[in-house]
Amino acid sequence: MKLTGRFIFISCALMSLLVIPFLATIFSTEFNWSKSDFFVMSALFIGLALMVEFILQCFTSTVWRVLLIALALFIIVMFWAELAVGIFGTPFAGS
């Protein structure tokens, strides 16, 4: 898999979303993320960017691309929700 400028753009766009919890951590006492939370979320975002880049390089059909990217996004959101509040009750849940 060849990493392109598109991967860098997707990664930067996703990483820019981390500004929201960073600012919330600074200005709110109710929102408390540690460095490890930012690290885990960064790893999830990089993983999502890699999956999207892989899908875009391997599939030419727009329908397959949309479905697989939606599936990748769903998997990342479910993993994040499990880490945050433990919706599946695994041992590494956040609750």
Side-chain angles (χ1 to χ4, degrees):
M1 180 171 95
K2 182 180 176 185
L3 297 180
T4 62
R6 180 176 53 203
F7 169 74
I8 294 170
F9 176 77
I10 293 169
S11 297
C12 290
L14 288 171
M15 290 302 172
S16 68
L17 291 175
L18 288 175
V19 171
I20 297 167
F22 178 71
L23 292 175
T25 301
I26 291 173
F27 295 115
S28 174
T29 58
E30 297 175 4
F31 198 92
N32 187 18
W33 273 25
S34 66
K35 290 178 185 177
S36 63
D37 294 326
F38 284 102
F39 177 75
V40 168
M41 206 58 208
S42 297
L44 287 175
F45 281 159
I46 292 295
L48 178 61
L50 285 170
M51 284 190 279
V52 168
E53 182 65 25
F54 178 75
I55 291 166
L56 292 176
Q57 285 184 10
C58 290
F59 295 93
T60 56
S61 170
T62 305
V63 173
W64 278 106
R65 284 180 168 185
V66 169
L67 287 174
L68 291 173
I69 290 172
L71 178 64
L73 185 61
F74 177 75
I75 290 168
I76 292 295
V77 168
M78 287 294 109
F79 192 70
W80 169 73
E82 175 59 24
L83 290 174
V85 295
I87 59 173
F88 301 116
T90 60
F92 56 89
S95 59

